Amino acid sequence: MNRKVTYPLVYTGGYAFIVVIIPLTFLIYYAIHVSPTQLFIHVLAESVKQSFLQATVSTVISLGIGLIFGLLLIVYNGRMKSVIISLLLVTYVLPGIIMALGIISLFGFSSRFWEIIYGNVVYNSPMIAVLAYSTGNSTSIREIYSAKTLGASDSKIITGFYLQNSLRGGLLGGILTFILTFEGFSLPLIVGGPPYSTVEVMIYEFKSIFPSFAQFPFSTASLLGLLQIAILVVPLFFYLSINAGFRRNDSVLPLPLRRYNKIALAGLVIFLAFILMPLFGMFIKYPLWQLSVSAITTRLQISIPFLLGNTVIFSFASTFIAFLMSIVLIIYRPSLRNQFLILLPLIFSPVTLALSYFLVYGEHVPTSILITLIFTVVVIPLNIRMMAQAVETIPPSETYSSRTLGDSPLSTFFRVQLPRIKWEISTVLSLMFITVMGEFSSIVTVYTPSTMTITVGIYKLLLLKDIGGTYYLTEIFLIVIFISSFIINQLGKSGSVGQT
Amino acid sequence: MVQLDKLRVEGISISVGGEHVLRNVSFSLRDGEIKIILGASGSGKTSTLNTIAGIIKPDSGSIFKDGKDITGQDIDKRNIGFVFQDLGLFYSMNVAENIAYGLRLRTKDIGEINRRVSDISRELTIEEHLHKFPAQLSGGEKQLVSLARTLITDPDLILMDEPLSSLDSFLRNNMRWYIKDIRRKFNVSIIYVTHDLADAEILGDSIAILNEGTILADGDKASILNSPMSIEVARILGYNLYRVGERNYAIHPSRVLIGGPVKIKILFGESGLKNNYLVDTEFGRINLTSDQQLNEEDGISLERGLPLP
């Protein structure tokens, strides 16, 4: 039989080699040159302990809260639903540094463990709620009505059907929360301070503040980066192997629990207040009309338009590149092995990623290119995963119809698949764009004055103890984020196809 | 001159996770023929079609089209039409765009595309729906759009994966004759998989019986339907199985004669266009269909039973 070369492996293998294998090799090379001192071992043990503690406590609380509100989202079926989901998603994609500043605006610079946890919960529980809602909402309404005709009570319907299906998404969100909190950077760095430094914070400290801690530069940071990869590889494996099974629920039957609509809405409004409080607190305490642009410019010695320009250019370039790469990798990614290779960059936390890319490419490419590359790799696994899930909701027969009619895989993607998921694509693009705009932990590790973005500007103002300036710049940034995401969403929704 | 088969499948096997989906499946399709692949759910019918279309690659075996090995050929290069079970219409395109899709890949001549879309939609009586989207069509109209979209590209053969399964019985019957008519008008070869015996009886020129990934029987319609070659085939074709002495026999429900030496007890009897009965005999339970009314004292005759090997 005539066997063909598996081209997908060539694409994905090459991608994995350049994006992951080479940087990882450099990280290992630097790490083996570490000369551990007593102080280093103490710092290492403390940071690992903090990472575990913060990740575990935050995950448990976030999961509990997220699941409850995910169920409320399933039960609620009013006009406000899409607004609530959008607000929850916006909270999730907000940069960590903004959340940290929101927490400080509420509690002041008090450096308490529970404030970090509160920040983590506010940050992650909306994501768990939305994921739990997505899988829970795919429950077949016909199944529910079958159960009801057989005598199942409403509580039985919730626990036996909706909760069970919500758990799949919730679990996925829980693992993701653990990973993201373990890699926590902004909250422990800004809210917690030195006693609550996580591994991620210490990698940054060893790279940027004490690079000569050991004889070999960056070896301590590299060792911590490798240690973090080794710890997180297990939860990452679970995260990647869970198939949450998002489906479209196209049933036209009325929702079975609609009588609880008002109760569910009230619960969701309380939840929104809980998670948006840090943001509101900031705007109330530091109203935007008191902003002094010149004071900020003087402090940073860089103009706000320049900061914004850098942020938008890096974000646009990396989103665009990541989107193009995602298309190629999605089209040629049929096997499980290839999917694993594509998602491999997830093993790097943002700071470790920045450090390893700095070690590999730092001397050879301008910092602006390095930052674009890092940002691209930060978002590409998320982007591919979300786009692949969207593509999987299209019946395979549509794709194969196009192929049997003689179309190529690339053309089939653009002509058949893309028009069907353009709403999802616009959401993915805006999520990616916002994520990259708010990226702080990676860029703070590698930036130079000419490549400073707005998040770094905010952090610098905070270090300079210009609290007012910090908040004003944060508020400007928030407004830019909302406008950008609105524009991208509108661009994605435009076009003439997909009316049905 | 030796007439080549339109399609020849030689010994294809597929395993998924250690499970045999297809085992050494072989059959052929003549030019202009409608071949029915008949089997129960999970027998491997769809996998067979997916393999022929190039959607999945077989672990072993070969597929020849017009004498040429196409086993390793890409889907889009095979020129094999496929009407999927859920039809696979493009929901982001209107009917005209759906039909023109494959043709646009083959010609840039807009006039030619418009003319042929218009011709085929008139031929299949869907010209008034050209500007509608698939979601606005009825089940039967969607079937016709799917057929038009496939036929317009002049495929070398068409694969049909239970395309009528979602239709009501009236529409299904109409569509069967439509498909038969299409074969006549377009002189196209068709492989049609189904679990419905009526599809096989009305549409097929030849029938292959597929069971648990294996072809149990393959031949012309009359011989397969009238002379089942094994117990499994007889069971799939809806025959009554009974045993006399050391020998197994099969008899079709419509061939059991009322009045005969076999004593019966009527378990169920329903009158309708035909009279349907389930009776208990010394040879086992037998269902039968007859124009006549059945009384227990009449008995039945199994003399038209076929001995099985």
Side-chain angles (χ1 to χ4, degrees):
Chain A
M1 205 183 91
N2 183 14
R3 289 275 178 204
K4 292 191 64 170
V5 181
T6 51
Y7 289 111
L9 191 61
V10 175
Y11 288 109
T12 49
Y15 155 87
F17 188 74
I18 293 165
V19 170
V20 179
I21 308 296
I22 295 177
L24 197 61
T25 310
F26 269 70
L27 216 53
I28 295 168
Y29 174 74
Y30 276 78
I32 55 176
H33 285 86
V34 78
S35 45
T37 62
Q38 198 75 28
L39 176 61
F40 173 68
I41 292 168
H42 173 73
V43 166
L44 187 147
E46 273 302 305
S47 59
V48 171
K49 189 183 100 184
Q50 274 303 319
S51 292
F52 260 115
L53 199 61
Q54 290 174 27
T56 310
V57 176
S58 304
T59 303
V60 170
I61 299 174
S62 303
L63 193 57
I65 293 177
L67 274 175
I68 292 169
F69 290 99
L71 283 173
L72 288 182
L73 266 177
I74 295 170
V75 173
Y76 175 64
N77 193 37
R79 279 176 298 175
M80 296 293 291
K81 190 167 196 162
S82 57
V83 177
I84 293 170
I85 292 175
S86 303
L87 282 172
L88 291 176
L89 281 173
V90 164
T91 318
Y92 173 62
V93 295
L94 276 183
I97 190 169
I98 292 183
M99 190 54 74
L101 290 169
I103 299 289
I104 290 173
S105 76
L106 284 182
F107 303 107
F109 287 94
S110 51
S111 183
R112 279 187 293 246
F113 177 77
W114 288 104
E115 286 159 19
I116 302 174
I117 301 299
Y118 175 62
N120 281 331
V121 171
V122 163
Y123 206 41
N124 291 294
S125 57
M127 178 256 300
I128 295 178
V130 172
L131 284 171
Y133 160 73
S134 302
T135 52
N137 198 44
S138 66
T139 309
S140 159
I141 293 181
R142 287 189 182 83
E143 267 179 51
I144 302 288
Y145 278 112
S146 301
K148 281 187 85 72
T149 55
L150 292 167
S153 64
D154 288 344
S155 60
K156 192 80 194 155
I157 295 291
I158 291 174
T159 54
F161 290 88
Y162 285 130
L163 182 61
Q164 276 191 16
N165 287 334
S166 298
L167 273 175
R168 283 183 289 133
L171 195 64
L172 194 73
I175 297 173
L176 202 55
T177 300
F178 183 86
I179 295 167
L180 293 175
T181 323
F182 195 97
E183 293 175 351
F185 185 76
S186 301
L187 282 162
L189 178 73
I190 296 169
V191 177
Y196 302 106
S197 290
T198 54
V199 177
E200 188 80 339
V201 173
M202 290 318 298
I203 300 170
Y204 160 69
E205 302 267 354
F206 282 131
K207 153 68 182 66
S208 298
I209 301 176
F210 321 113
S212 55
F213 187 82
Q215 291 297 314
F216 206 80
F218 314 122
S219 58
T220 41
S222 302
L223 182 68
L224 279 173
L226 278 180
L227 183 72
Q228 183 161 262
I229 289 171
I231 294 171
L232 289 181
V233 91
V234 174
L236 259 170
F237 175 77
F238 281 116
Y239 169 69
L240 296 182
S241 40
I242 289 178
N243 181 5
F246 300 101
R247 286 181 296 166
R248 290 174 192 226
N249 194 338
D250 294 331
S251 175
V252 291
L253 294 169
L255 284 175
L257 300 175
R258 57 192 181 284
R259 81 176 83 153
Y260 304 111
N261 229 16
K262 284 183 183 162
I263 298 171
L265 178 61
L268 288 167
V269 170
I270 293 168
F271 183 47
L272 278 177
F274 169 73
I275 60 166
L276 293 175
M277 208 154 40
L279 297 182
F280 286 134
M282 189 190 313
F283 275 94
I284 292 165
K285 215 164 176 178
Y286 300 95
L288 204 55
W289 55 83
Q290 292 176 2
L291 163 76
S292 166
V293 174
S294 58
I296 294 174
T297 308
T298 312
R299 281 278 190 178
L300 290 176
Q301 296 185 329
I302 195 166
S303 72
I304 292 179
F306 189 80
L307 276 182
L308 283 173
N310 268 353
T311 310
V312 171
I313 290 168
F314 290 145
S315 307
F316 181 80
S318 49
T319 304
F320 185 68
I321 296 168
F323 182 61
L324 291 184
M325 286 174 72
S326 302
I327 289 173
V328 174
L329 291 168
I330 280 177
I331 293 170
Y332 300 104
R333 51 132 218 136
S335 75
L336 203 65
R337 178 184 55 189
N338 292 334
Q339 286 184 44
F340 177 75
L341 287 176
I342 288 168
L343 297 173
L344 210 52
L346 280 174
I347 65 168
F348 289 121
S349 66
V351 175
T352 314
L353 184 81
L355 170 69
S356 61
Y357 277 51
F358 173 78
L359 296 177
V360 181
Y361 307 109
E363 286 182 12
H364 311 294
V365 296
T367 310
S368 53
I369 305 282
L370 182 66
I371 291 170
T372 307
L373 183 65
I374 292 169
F375 282 1
T376 305
V377 179
V378 164
V379 288
I380 205 165
L382 171 81
N383 179 34
I384 290 176
R385 197 170 164 105
M386 289 174 76
M387 274 176 62
Q389 278 169 351
V391 168
E392 277 164 18
T393 61
I394 304 170
S397 58
E398 273 188 53
T399 309
Y400 286 126
S401 291
S402 167
R403 300 279 285 119
T404 54
L405 287 165
D407 217 348
S408 67
L410 194 67
S411 171
T412 298
F413 181 81
F414 281 105
R415 297 179 64 189
V416 175
Q417 294 176 310
L418 204 57
R420 290 276 270 152
I421 55 166
K422 62 179 196 148
W423 292 77
E424 287 90 338
I425 293 289
S426 71
T427 309
V428 172
L429 281 177
S430 52
L431 279 176
M432 278 206 301
F433 193 74
I434 296 171
T435 307
V436 177
M437 275 182 99
E439 186 51 42
F440 167 61
S441 45
S442 58
I443 191 167
V444 80
T445 313
V446 295
Y447 81 97
T448 55
S450 64
T451 54
M452 195 189 289
T453 60
I454 204 157
T455 51
V456 179
I458 292 169
Y459 182 58
K460 281 202 81 174
L461 284 171
L462 191 66
L463 288 180
L464 293 166
K465 304 256 188 278
D466 181 355
I467 306 304
T470 304
Y471 281 104
Y472 297 132
L473 196 55
T474 306
E475 288 164 20
I476 293 172
F477 185 33
L478 268 173
I479 292 165
V480 172
I481 285 178
F482 279 109
I483 293 171
S484 310
S485 92
F486 178 78
I487 292 171
I488 294 176
N489 248 303
Q490 290 307 309
L491 286 175
K493 286 170 188 171
S494 62
S496 59
V497 291
Q499 291 90 330
T500 48
Chain B
M1 199 177 92
V2 179
Q3 167 102 35
L4 287 173
D5 290 323
K6 190 76 201 164
L7 186 88
R8 191 155 46 84
V9 175
E10 277 188 6
I12 56 171
S13 297
I14 296 172
S15 296
V16 178
E19 290 270 319
H20 291 287
V21 178
L22 295 178
R23 299 167 202 248
N24 200 25
V25 167
S26 299
F27 61 88
S28 59
L29 174 77
R30 292 189 301 273
D31 203 7
E33 181 186 32
I34 298 183
K35 175 154 216 109
I36 304 290
I37 299 181
L38 187 69
S41 297
S43 57
K45 304 189 295 287
T46 301
S47 298
T48 305
L49 291 195
N50 285 344
T51 312
I52 295 169
I55 294 170
I56 49 178
K57 300 262 184 280
D59 298 331
S60 61
S62 300
I63 299 161
F64 297 89
K65 191 185 75 179
D66 293 318
K68 190 182 155 210
D69 188 350
I70 58 162
T71 318
Q73 200 174 33
D74 279 338
I75 310 174
D76 47 326
K77 305 286 185 294
R78 294 192 179 199
N79 198 29
I80 293 177
F82 203 141
V83 179
F84 291 87
Q85 189 168 14
D86 64 356
L87 305 178
L89 294 180
F90 306 132
Y91 275 71
S92 58
M93 301 177 194
N94 67 22
V95 169
E97 288 168 330
N98 260 281
I99 296 173
Y101 188 93
L103 200 56
R104 279 184 181 161
L105 298 168
R106 290 161 172 79
T107 174
K108 300 277 175 243
D109 184 345
I110 301 294
E112 163 84 357
I113 292 169
N114 288 340
R115 185 185 60 73
R116 285 180 61 183
V117 168
S118 175
D119 286 350
I120 195 120
S121 56
R122 198 179 316 110
E123 195 70 57
L124 297 183
T125 66
I126 47 173
E127 69 268 39
E128 65 197 77
H129 304 302
L130 286 177
H131 297 292
K132 289 183 185 170
F133 281 82
Q136 298 166 299
L137 301 177
S138 69
E141 288 158 357
K142 283 182 194 166
Q143 297 282 347
L144 295 175
V145 174
S146 180
L147 279 171
R149 186 181 68 175
T150 307
L151 285 166
I152 202 167
T153 59
D154 292 325
D156 295 327
L157 65 132
I158 299 178
L159 310 173
M160 295 188 176
D161 186 3
E162 304 200 50
L164 310 183
S165 59
S166 62
L167 300 183
D168 61 60
S169 61
F170 175 76
L171 205 52
R172 201 180 315 160
N173 207 32
N174 276 349
M175 285 301 300
R176 283 186 190 120
W177 294 106
Y178 236 113
I179 292 169
K180 237 178 144 56
D181 194 39
I182 281 167
R183 191 272 302 265
R184 186 179 58 79
K185 280 182 186 157
F186 294 87
N187 190 33
V188 64
S189 313
I190 296 172
I191 297 179
Y192 185 106
V193 309
T194 182
H195 62 268
D196 189 341
L197 257 175
D199 287 345
E201 287 181 37
I202 295 172
L203 283 170
D205 298 315
S206 67
I207 298 175
I209 309 274
L210 192 62
N211 188 43
E212 294 179 356
T214 307
I215 296 278
L216 297 179
D218 182 16
D220 68 83
K221 178 168 73 177
S223 68
I224 293 289
L225 291 180
N226 295 326
S227 318
M229 290 184 292
S230 67
I231 289 179
E232 288 84 4
V233 172
R235 192 176 284 130
I236 290 167
L237 292 174
Y239 276 75
N240 291 292
L241 300 172
Y242 62 97
R243 195 174 176 86
V244 178
E246 294 300 304
R247 196 106 209 215
N248 289 310
Y249 289 84
I251 185 161
H252 197 270
S254 63
R255 291 177 195 158
V256 179
L257 295 177
I258 290 178
V262 179
K263 288 186 179 166
I264 58 165
K265 182 171 183 226
I266 299 176
L267 298 173
F268 291 103
E270 294 290 343
S271 296
L273 293 174
K274 294 255 183 190
N275 299 303
N276 293 287
Y277 297 96
L278 178 67
V279 297
D280 212 0
T281 75
E282 62 185 295
F283 306 108
R285 288 187 176 181
I286 287 171
N287 68 75
L288 64 109
T289 304
S290 172
D291 295 327
Q292 293 174 255
Q293 289 280 349
L294 174 64
N295 295 306
E296 286 191 354
E297 55 273 18
D298 292 339
I300 57 168
S301 166
L302 300 174
E303 66 182 31
R304 292 185 185 174
L306 303 164
L308 293 169

